[in-house]
Amino acid sequence: MWWARTTTLLVSACLLSALSAHAIWPQPALYGANKTQSFARVSSDLRFNLVDGTDKTRVPSDLTDAIVAATKLANSIDLWPLTPGRGEEDRAAVNAAPLISGVQIKVLELMPETTPNPCAKKQIAEAPLEARSLQAPFQGRLKAIHDVQLDDTTQNQATANTETAEVWSNACSIANRAIKEVDYKVSSKPLDLRTDKSAPADLGFLDAEMYRIDVPQDGSSIRLTSYTALGALRGLQTLLQLIYSLPPQGGKSQRFIRNVPNVITDRPAYPYRGLLLDTSRNWFDLPTIRKLIDTMQFVKLNQLHWHATDTHSWPLAFEGELSVLADKGSYGWTYVDGQLVRMVYTEADIKDIIDYAAARGINVIIETDMPAHMLEGVQAVGGGELMACPNRPDWQSVAAEPPSGQLRLVSNGTTLNTTDVGTFTVPGPIKTFVSTLLRKTASLSKSVYVSSGGDEPNFHCWNLSSEAAMEPYLAKFMAVVTNVTTAAGKKGVVWEEMAVKFPTVAKTLGKGSLVGIWNDPNNAGIAIENNPDVKVVLAPYTFFYLDCGGPVFLGNTTNNNWCPYVSWQKTYSFDPSVVIANATAVNPGLKGVRERFVGGESAVWSEQIDAQNLDVKVWPRAAAGAEVWWSGEVANGKKREPIEALERLLELRWRLVARGVRAEPLQPLWCALRVGECNLY
Ligand SMILES: *[C@@H]1O[C@H](CO)[C@@H](O)[C@H](O)[C@H]1NC(C)=O
Ligand SMILES: *[C@@H]1O[C@H](CO)[C@@H](O)[C@H](O)[C@H]1NC(C)=O
Ligand SMILES: *[C@@H]1O[C@H](CO)[C@@H](O)[C@H](O)[C@H]1NC(C)=O
Ligand SMILES: *[C@@H]1O[C@H](CO)[C@@H](O)[C@H](O)[C@H]1NC(C)=O
Ligand SMILES: *[C@@H]1O[C@H](CO)[C@@H](O)[C@H](O)[C@H]1NC(C)=O
Ligand SMILES: *[C@@H]1O[C@H](CO)[C@@H](O)[C@H](O)[C@H]1NC(C)=O
Ligand SMILES: *[C@@H]1O[C@H](CO)[C@@H](O)[C@H](O)[C@H]1NC(C)=O
């Protein structure tokens, strides 16, 4: 157990009191700070260095980039304390404090003591990615925009990325760790970041994210220690949250860290800490997605569940035989920062998003939803032969929302009748299409996971008599999906419909595949009962859907949308242990139920969200989810609860604003500056 292993750390931190009020988000596993008022000044030219002795040949480029990015942020972003004086009251004491001018980063996997060397030597010289436009022109439409000059100077983020294919063979990169299968395996050797000189070869997924920060009181360098580059990345995000500024004087900001010394030892509770982004209902440009990834990184979210397609549009611009999907099913043209772009993601864009995320410790799981939630694009395949109930005017009788459409898996029309279970097989054109599609998303994915969605299949759309009547056809369908996914070397991801309602469908899911629970969280226990080989991702809409609340998107009604608004407090109050207890009770005798709960995610279903309001809808509420999954049920020895969390979340919100994220305010600034003075009493 990780707790047992870190008891020594607890003892060493005992001299220091635990200040839960310090503004780290998500809350670290162990945090000790000086309970006496004390400060260290932080140089306005804070230098971050890998410690002497680091094997430079092993340092992955994404770690170098992460250190450069953290240096820039540490030396540019100011957050004044959330007090009425904004820190003015501490000016004299801060100015008298020793000055810290360096951060020494020690990544044990990069030290010569770590043997056998788990890092592949670089095979090919590093070459910058081919310079490309903000949004590469789509396919054959290239000519149509030939005279529209895309401004190459605005491509800073795309071209700054100099990663090459070799990064994926470099076991020491952040990216390499980020894309691994989520699990709870731990290294066979107990870990102690204070004393370990090397990283064990069998480091577990969560061990890799572990880090320790020591902020001294005497002005010597801050020390950040981790086993991996990914762990260093996580630690850098925490470190950035320790730094405050005095109100500027003479145009200069004095930065400082309070309550020194600080000692932080941290490791996540859950390996899957996700955010779902739906790019079908509304499209998001690449800079917006990169910014979302940056903010996810800041709060240590590590899975971007990319719900790429739905009935409304097909933005994945595949090359080759599937190109018709976006050609016919995307939203067409728009302007992004004054540039004309197509609302698609080319294969180069998809790679860009995946690589950008991975270098920030985030795995991208591509979801092409099926057999329901398909229309645009898919309708254009084979003259429409794949579709059942496409865009019906009476959509309400066949789908959850307009426009309707799902794969024509089974027919029960007057002339065409394929309902005979004995002879039923997945229709050839559907099998071919689904196989080609999944092989394509698998080939583009760096992730172990590829998602086929599977929510809300509608029996009326197939002229069946009941929901239960869908089961045999869905089971055959999912068997095909699992086959193709497995053959492509991937694990599947499905929504709970494929695992909870229909036991025989659940049986077709592959070992280690993920099931997203979006209704009653206790459905997780049923999914596990139906197929003990699956793992569970918790995303019940009552706690995690960021689009809930507000007006419905449907015309000619004045109702609110289908689900109630999810406050940050509601998300934060989610207690996975209650759900795990239910699943354990529902599956008596089954070992390792806890280990099947790999985490959860907040969801940005985008019917009413696009780049204009994304920040406000997501932040800081998704950060509440990030803490549920990073910190777990207990943080710093105490059960998490929203009353304690408010003060820290306010600080996070202001830090996000300082970074240019339009996170929504939680309180009047007056209240944010005066902790507790706006409480109910
Ligand atoms: C905490 O800060 C005070 C005041 O600067 C200092 O005297 C004391 O040594 C510090 N405590 C620890 C445990 O370092
Ligand atoms: C459902 O029945 C209608 C006519 O009754 C038919 O046009 C349609 O193709 C049928 N759909 C399926 C999936 O069998
Ligand atoms: C289709 O065939 C089944 C028997 O295989 C029958 O029960 C059903 O009524 C038929 N459907 C229609 C619409 O005729
Ligand atoms: C097919 O449609 C017929 C007529 O509506 C219905 O009686 C039958 O139950 C349907 N078959 C299935 C498998 O639901
Ligand atoms: C899945 O693959 C296995 C082995 O290749 C094959 O025997 C089986 O028929 C396939 N099942 C489906 C539903 O395609
Ligand atoms: C909305 O409009 C549709 C026709 O487009 C009509 O059938 C329906 O009754 C209307 N609903 C309401 C609540 O007005
Ligand atoms: C688990 O949760 C379900 C649904 O909320 C409930 O009906 C059931 O009684 C619970 N089972 C146990 C053993 O707690």
Side-chain angles (χ1 to χ4, degrees), residues 9 22 36 40 58 65 108 135 141-142 159 177-179 270 290 306 310 313 318 349 404 484 656 681:
L9 295 167
H22 214 124
T36 309
R58 276 193 246 169
D65 292 347
L108 295 175
Q135 175 73 39
R141 302 299 178 92
L142 181 63
T159 51
R177 289 281 179 192
I179 60 170
Y270 290 87
R290 290 196 199 99
W306 184 3
D310 212 293
S313 78
F318 296 131
D349 294 336
S404 61
V484 177
L656 294 181
Y681 63 93

Side-chain angles (χ1 to χ4, degrees), residues 278 280-282 307 309-314 328-331 369 371-379 387-407 455-458 461 553-555 606-607:
D278 166 3
S280 172
R281 273 57 180 263
N282 279 300
H307 180 81
T309 64
D310 212 293
T311 50
H312 302 79
S313 78
W314 190 286
K328 300 288 190 201
S330 83
Y331 276 140
D369 208 347
H373 291 278
M374 275 187 158
L375 177 71
E376 290 297 335
V378 183
Q379 202 176 10
M387 295 306 308
C389 65
N391 194 17
R392 282 254 297 262
D394 60 336
W395 62 267
Q396 246 168 312
S397 60
V398 289
E401 67 182 64
S404 61
Q406 67 192 24
L407 289 176
D455 53 322
E456 303 180 312
N458 190 300
C461 178
F553 77 89
L554 302 169
S606 70
E607 282 91 344

Side-chain angles (χ1 to χ4, degrees), residues 54-76:
T54 302
D55 179 352
K56 292 278 165 28
T57 67
R58 276 193 246 169
V59 178
S61 58
D62 56 14
L63 176 60
T64 308
D65 292 347
I67 292 173
V68 169
T71 307
K72 208 184 269 179
L73 286 167
N75 289 311
S76 62

Side-chain angles (χ1 to χ4, degrees), residues 376-646:
E376 290 297 335
V378 183
Q379 202 176 10
V381 177
E385 66 172 337
L386 301 184
M387 295 306 308
C389 65
N391 194 17
R392 282 254 297 262
D394 60 336
W395 62 267
Q396 246 168 312
S397 60
V398 289
E401 67 182 64
S404 61
Q406 67 192 24
L407 289 176
R408 195 186 187 91
L409 195 57
V410 58
S411 292
N412 193 14
T414 42
T415 51
L416 201 56
N417 187 343
T418 64
T419 58
D420 183 355
V421 174
T423 59
F424 177 83
T425 56
V426 176
I430 289 182
K431 189 169 176 177
T432 303
F433 170 69
V434 160
S435 303
T436 312
L437 175 58
L438 287 169
R439 278 197 285 267
K440 174 63 96 173
T441 50
S443 74
L444 292 170
S445 296
K446 296 281 162 47
S447 176
V448 172
Y449 301 104
V450 166
S451 175
S452 58
D455 53 322
E456 303 180 312
N458 190 300
F459 68 92
H460 296 290
C461 178
W462 289 331
N463 297 335
L464 299 181
S465 55
S466 68
E467 187 144 87
M470 292 192 291
E471 180 159 3
Y473 317 113
L474 287 174
K476 292 261 172 69
F477 177 76
M478 269 316 299
V480 170
V481 169
T482 299
N483 252 19
V484 177
T485 308
T486 309
K490 304 291 184 185
K491 293 184 187 298
V493 181
V494 292
W495 290 110
E496 64 171 85
E497 280 84 341
M498 295 295 134
V500 174
K501 279 182 186 164
F502 310 121
T504 61
V505 181
K507 301 267 184 305
T508 68
L509 302 175
K511 192 170 173 60
S513 56
L514 305 180
V515 175
I517 303 292
W518 65 275
N519 291 293
D520 181 348
N522 287 336
N523 285 346
I526 304 170
I528 292 169
E529 186 179 13
N530 287 341
N531 184 344
D533 284 340
V534 301
K535 296 177 180 176
V536 165
V537 172
L538 293 171
Y541 68 83
T542 42
F543 291 89
F544 292 105
Y545 277 19
L546 302 174
D547 57 308
C548 285
V552 72
F553 77 89
L554 302 169
N556 86 350
T557 160
T558 54
N559 291 340
N560 277 356
N561 74 16
W562 66 280
C563 47
Y565 179 81
V566 176
S567 66
W568 75 264
Q569 292 94 335
K570 178 78 179 176
T571 299
Y572 197 83
S573 72
F574 188 72
D575 186 348
S577 68
V578 174
V579 183
I580 294 167
N582 181 283
T584 307
V586 168
N587 292 281
L590 184 65
K591 283 217 177 74
V593 170
R594 167 72 180 75
E595 282 68 31
R596 289 170 172 82
F597 285 80
V598 291
E601 68 189 14
S602 299
V604 184
W605 298 107
S606 70
E607 282 91 344
Q608 294 164 296
I609 300 175
D610 69 9
Q612 302 302 323
N613 64 345
L614 180 69
D615 280 2
V616 170
K617 287 285 185 179
V618 175
W619 307 111
R621 288 186 295 155
E627 182 152 309
V628 169
W629 305 117
W630 178 277
S631 305
E633 294 79 356
V634 173
N636 230 342
K638 280 189 297 196
K639 194 164 157 50
R640 279 188 305 100
E641 48 103 9
I643 302 298
E644 180 282 330
L646 173 63

